[in-house]
Amino acid sequence: MKFQVFSELEYIVPVPTTFIFNLHAARTSHQTVIEETLTIDPVYQCKEFSSANRESRFTQLCVNDKINFKITYSAIVDLHYNKIDPQQLSPAVSVMDLDLDVIQYLYPSRYCQSDKLERLARKEFDHLENEYEKVLAINEWIYNNVEYIGGSTNSGTSAHDTLTERVGVCRDFAHLAIALCRAISIPARYFTAYAYNLFPPDFHACFEAYIGGQWVFFDPTKLVPANGIIKISNGRDAADASVATIFGETTCTSIIVKCESLDPAYKPYYIHNSDPNEKYM
Amino acid sequence: MKFQVFSELEYIVPVPTTFIFNLHAARTSHQTVIEETLTIDPVYQCKEFSSANRESRFTQLCVNDKINFKITYSAIVDLHYNKIDPQQLSPAVSVMDLDLDVIQYLYPSRYCQSDKLERLARKEFDHLENEYEKVLAINEWIYNNVEYIGGSTNSGTSAHDTLTERVGVCRDFAHLAIALCRAISIPARYFTAYAYNLFPPDFHACFEAYIGGQWVFFDPTKLVPANGIIKISNGRDAADASVATIFGETTCTSIIVKCESLDPAYKPYYIHNSDPNEKYM
Amino acid sequence: MKFQVFSELEYIVPVPTTFIFNLHAARTSHQTVIEETLTIDPVYQCKEFSSANRESRFTQLCVNDKINFKITYSAIVDLHYNKIDPQQLSPAVSVMDLDLDVIQYLYPSRYCQSDKLERLARKEFDHLENEYEKVLAINEWIYNNVEYIGGSTNSGTSAHDTLTERVGVCRDFAHLAIALCRAISIPARYFTAYAYNLFPPDFHACFEAYIGGQWVFFDPTKLVPANGIIKISNGRDAADASVATIFGETTCTSIIVKCESLDPAYKPYYIHNSDPNEKYM
Amino acid sequence: MKFQVFSELEYIVPVPTTFIFNLHAARTSHQTVIEETLTIDPVYQCKEFSSANRESRFTQLCVNDKINFKITYSAIVDLHYNKIDPQQLSPAVSVMDLDLDVIQYLYPSRYCQSDKLERLARKEFDHLENEYEKVLAINEWIYNNVEYIGGSTNSGTSAHDTLTERVGVCRDFAHLAIALCRAISIPARYFTAYAYNLFPPDFHACFEAYIGGQWVFFDPTKLVPANGIIKISNGRDAADASVATIFGETTCTSIIVKCESLDPAYKPYYIHNSDPNEKYM
């Protein structure tokens, strides 16, 4: 299924400032970038680099002048969506057998204080039969217990806050889910994306858990179709997977994000409820 | 039922320090202080004052010398314990009809950040039929979801922490309960006490909620018999109802607390489980 | 000096909700309320009560209907402003000699976690000669180290946050000041007010410290003239001294606040800098 | 200069538990491991792996039996200590020119919430002339403003807490320093070590900042000689650079750590004060 994704960010830059943008659709086995364009207006020298696993791409630029500038990304992406059959997942990989680059996703991070949630997570979720059931239960718990209210939180909000205050946006939902997974020793990582039919339009955030040797996708907000999410990047949490990381002082004056289907036959596949027959991916 | 209560605290005082002790058994309609003695060794000038409602008594002393000193309180108290029959409680008093001195127990306080728990408390408890059922459900929820581990927390621990970390001591159990009650507009206050059969022996903390025009006692730890608790004092939380408030720097070298029944016929009345027929007080 | 103060708050009330408003100018030895009007539109039954010291007045109403309503307060107040001469302040009152109703302002509260700031406050301020100098230094420290940015914080922000993040509004400045005073055993209380020339117009918050047996006023924002502040109320912090405390769910759609001088000869008296000759009040 | 380092940790393991130990002295250009032994008693199967840069080594074992076990590490390490001459440091590397594996040390992490400290760090340190001076000032500020008290904090304590409470151990000192460096866009990382003459003997924690293209060592505790610190590992913070990371429940019953000089001519080089002629490394 082909999607057209688009993002445009505008900034006023009063003092020298370095930006690291992470707007490119990722290149993974689940999605192919067919064509893409990134433009900076006015034209400004920038540097591109990739994540260690080569999937995600970053654009770095250092603005020394007092200017207003605009960065625009546009791409056509072919998404190969496969529903996961939980029955077909491999048995759990013990911590003993995890690779070093997976183990890092077991550790607490800035916005996911899993070390503080161990008792709660063990009591609520650890009795479940297998890792898929545990993560699914975490996903449903957040969907059922946290209220989605735009603008209710800010960039300092973490899983610890969300667990108490029970309100947030996609970013907060993802952070709490990741913290709960790690608290019962299931690796989990943050996931930024373009998403079909997100309203109001914005970047989306969800998470992946490492189950049976593979990263399995979940979205506790249930706001968008599971087959309409184009990955941008993964990270421990929003601290290292922001769409824009800024060193300096600046004002963002406009953000436009779009994600449209290019396929007339596209049927969005929503997972609205907790029906046990409705599984993820 | 008569009880002998006893407490002894020892301090090393290196710099001028003011102490406010709150060790006296309260004088209420539920308990009569038959005899009591307070001694300070070495003899030191001190001041006594009472709480606004005259129930609780405080001993204030200012130590300007570098000394070690010991304060000892001993009393015989007659406790008139009445089981409350929830059926007999008056209907809820609306916030509109509360007195000013009760309204203060609706506000968030240092260790009871009820303002942060509103969504959670409304979702979990507000659907229940009446205020007694709501507070009982809060009490059971804490008993079932928070682990009692001596030494697991410290004097900075608040309800916000306990809700996340799910571990604490009697003080933490009380703070969380109070915060949850206030979050659904039920006045609740902290309660310090001598308690029969508390192990290891120490001061005890629990809480009261204002239901149908009266303060009703609850203890989410379920560690001690409901008919073996001698009140010392009430407060918003541990910030204004400590057994010892200290302005200065000092080291407490020993705390001894005792609470013994003087009545051979005394039968401790425990509320161990959630049996709906086993009600408080 | 006469001032005209005015406030008008509008609400949409979807579910039964109880409001406690605290809009009346206080009646103190420093200010005389010459005339005042409070109206609720539509007319709604309400209850008035006063604080324990009779200075502040509260309006309580319970709205059971789905209505929009507006509460308006208007008054003419004569302010008797006296500069304080720090040389004339009585010597410090030791904790030992404080009254019970002052001692409560030594304890940590919801937004003023003085217990956590003891080391910092002792190191920075406790070496100063007397209590006035200490509180003045706290006031200057906050003015110099915390940035005033409207909208930068929310109703959950406390002194602990402000000390770290170094940004806030008048409410946050007051909370941090109060916490630092209490941390070195100086009683301090929150103070809400109408303020002349506050921009954008809003209610103001500042604090009072108990020095030499009297409450002395300070304003770490330095935004308004010291002789243009009409007290509404005092409290431990914003938890018990809000202009509107709401039990229920509601939306505030408009707030209008005004404070104007009625005296052509009025000269606002600003304390802009740290000039040691420029003292408070 | 040769040092003998030694560590021995004992555990009771009641349930299946996976351990990742990080006890090996690192292999870097500054230190050569001449000989080393790691033993597990009773003999237990384990797995060894290295950090991405090959310097640090980890021992992973999964204990499924209810046993008590002991892990012991012993090594002789040759330390090539070079005082750094700040005059010889290269000019600052702009964020624009940092490698991806350095950029990660600019992001906030679990115990180093640099995002919250930006205003404070900019005000206090950003006016200084160069990166070395800035980090040195951060190091001195912590030494002068935070009190070192063993046992005053716990594994949940973070830079945000330490900044407020002004007390901690080496781990807390390092976390606060790292957070302050990152807050002014200087990469900084956590550093665990064996340290000569640390009292009471324990593992040590300090930090490195990335200045002029190289990692420069700092120790805000000033407890040990700069030429007596044997690196074990680096990480973002204690979340990914612990000496023992445990997945499961276990009790540590004993920790013994030693670090002794094998060189009679060894002279410990202490940096006790802020003398500008006394520079680090």
Side-chain angles (χ1 to χ4, degrees), chain B residues 47 60 95-96 110 115, chain C residues 47 60 95-96 110 115:
Chain B
K47 194 171 117 181
Q60 196 174 18
V95 173
M96 192 65 188
R110 169 65 184 91
D115 53 306
Chain C
K47 194 171 118 183
Q60 196 174 18
V95 173
M96 192 63 189
R110 170 65 184 92
D115 53 305

Side-chain angles (χ1 to χ4, degrees), chain C residues 112-249:
Chain C
C112 307
Q113 302 97 334
S114 47
D115 53 305
K116 289 186 179 288
L117 305 187
E118 287 181 17
R119 275 189 178 76
L120 183 158
R122 272 205 298 266
K123 181 164 200 313
E124 294 284 336
F125 307 112
D126 217 15
H127 63 281
L128 291 165
E129 205 171 328
N130 60 51
E131 306 213 327
Y132 182 81
E133 294 300 328
K134 290 176 189 181
V135 181
L136 189 65
I138 287 171
N139 199 70
E140 296 302 305
W141 190 92
I142 292 173
Y143 176 70
N144 290 322
N145 285 284
V146 184
E147 202 172 339
Y148 188 99
I149 297 185
S152 58
T153 54
N154 60 40
S155 67
T157 305
S158 66
H160 182 31
D161 302 312
T162 307
L163 185 70
T164 302
E165 303 183 26
R166 301 287 168 95
V167 67
V169 298
C170 57
R171 165 192 160 109
D172 306 304
F173 279 55
H175 284 155
L176 180 51
I178 292 166
L180 290 168
C181 289
R182 292 182 190 164
I184 48 171
S185 300
I186 298 174
R189 65 187 190 186
Y190 194 72
F191 182 116
T192 56
Y194 294 95
Y196 179 81
N197 226 8
L198 184 60
F199 187 81
D202 202 344
F203 295 101
H204 194 45
C206 24
F207 78 103
E208 289 176 327
Y210 196 73
I211 301 177
Q214 68 181 104
W215 288 104
V216 180
F217 171 86
F218 293 85
D219 179 359
T221 71
K222 300 193 182 186
L223 286 178
V224 297
N227 64 345
I229 296 175
I230 317 297
K231 184 194 284 196
I232 296 173
S233 190
N234 288 117
R236 292 192 179 189
D237 62 22
D240 59 7
S242 270
V243 291
T245 304
I246 297 167
F247 303 95
E249 279 171 279

Side-chain angles (χ1 to χ4, degrees), chain B residues 18 47 49-50 60-62 95-96 100 106-111 113 115-116 185 236 239-240 245 247, chain C residues 18 47 49-50 60-62 95-96 100 103 107-111 113 115-116 185 236 239-240 245 247:
Chain B
T18 299
K47 194 171 117 181
F49 60 90
S50 297
Q60 196 174 18
L61 74 161
C62 179
V95 173
M96 192 65 188
L100 190 57
L106 280 172
Y107 297 143
S109 59
R110 169 65 184 91
Y111 299 107
Q113 302 98 333
D115 53 306
K116 289 186 180 285
S185 299
R236 291 191 180 190
D240 58 7
T245 304
F247 303 95
Chain C
T18 299
K47 194 171 118 183
F49 59 89
S50 298
Q60 196 174 18
L61 73 162
C62 179
V95 173
M96 192 63 189
L100 190 56
I103 284 178
Y107 296 143
S109 59
R110 170 65 184 92
Y111 299 108
Q113 302 97 334
D115 53 305
K116 289 186 179 288
S185 300
R236 292 192 179 189
D240 59 7
T245 304
F247 303 95

Side-chain angles (χ1 to χ4, degrees), chain A residues 47 60 95-96 110 115, chain D residues 47 60 95-96 110 115:
Chain A
K47 195 171 116 182
Q60 197 174 18
V95 172
M96 192 63 189
R110 170 64 183 92
D115 52 306
Chain D
K47 194 171 116 182
Q60 197 175 17
V95 173
M96 192 64 189
R110 169 66 183 93
D115 53 306

Side-chain angles (χ1 to χ4, degrees), chain A residues 23-255:
Chain A
L23 302 173
H24 288 76
R27 292 172 176 158
T28 76
S29 58
H30 291 290
Q31 60 188 42
T32 308
V33 178
I34 295 173
E35 56 171 70
E36 62 182 351
T37 326
L38 184 109
T39 57
I40 294 165
D41 174 21
V43 173
Y44 221 88
Q45 188 193 0
C46 68
K47 195 171 116 182
E48 272 201 25
F49 59 88
S50 297
S51 61
N53 68 3
R54 319 290 308 163
E55 290 188 354
S56 298
R57 282 153 307 139
F58 301 84
T59 306
Q60 197 174 18
L61 75 162
C62 179
V63 179
N64 290 313
D65 313 294
K66 289 192 184 186
I67 57 162
N68 298 2
F69 85 96
K70 190 161 73 176
I71 184 166
T72 309
Y73 175 76
S74 172
I76 294 173
V77 180
D78 194 6
L79 183 66
H80 326 297
Y81 172 73
N82 292 310
K83 258 198 203 182
I84 269 200
D85 178 356
Q87 310 303 326
Q88 302 301 317
L89 286 170
S90 305
V93 178
S94 83
V95 172
M96 192 63 189
D97 296 320
L98 294 175
D99 287 338
L100 190 55
D101 63 330
V102 174
I103 284 178
Q104 66 171 312
Y105 295 110
L106 280 172
Y107 296 142
S109 59
R110 170 64 183 92
Y111 298 108
C112 307
Q113 302 97 332
S114 47
D115 52 306
K116 289 186 179 287
L117 306 186
E118 286 181 18
R119 275 190 176 77
L120 184 157
R122 273 205 298 266
K123 181 164 200 314
E124 294 284 336
F125 307 111
D126 217 15
H127 63 280
L128 291 165
E129 206 171 329
N130 60 50
E131 305 213 329
Y132 182 80
E133 293 300 328
K134 290 176 190 182
V135 181
L136 189 65
I138 287 170
N139 199 69
E140 295 303 305
W141 190 92
I142 292 173
Y143 177 70
N144 290 322
N145 286 284
V146 184
E147 202 172 338
Y148 189 99
I149 298 185
S152 58
T153 55
N154 60 40
S155 67
T157 305
S158 67
H160 182 31
D161 302 311
T162 307
L163 184 70
T164 302
E165 303 182 26
R166 301 288 169 96
V167 66
V169 297
C170 58
R171 164 193 160 109
D172 306 304
F173 279 54
H175 284 154
L176 181 52
I178 291 166
L180 289 168
C181 289
R182 292 181 190 165
I184 48 171
S185 299
I186 298 175
R189 65 187 190 186
Y190 194 72
F191 182 115
T192 56
Y194 293 96
Y196 179 80
N197 227 8
L198 184 59
F199 188 82
D202 203 343
F203 296 101
H204 194 45
C206 23
F207 77 103
E208 290 176 327
Y210 197 72
I211 301 177
Q214 69 180 103
W215 288 104
V216 181
F217 172 85
F218 293 85
D219 179 1
T221 70
K222 301 193 182 186
L223 285 178
V224 297
N227 64 346
I229 295 176
I230 317 297
K231 183 194 284 197
I232 296 172
S233 189
N234 288 116
R236 292 192 180 189
D237 62 22
D240 58 7
S242 270
V243 291
T245 304
I246 297 168
F247 303 95
E249 279 171 279
T250 188
T251 306
C252 179
T253 54
S254 163
I255 297 180

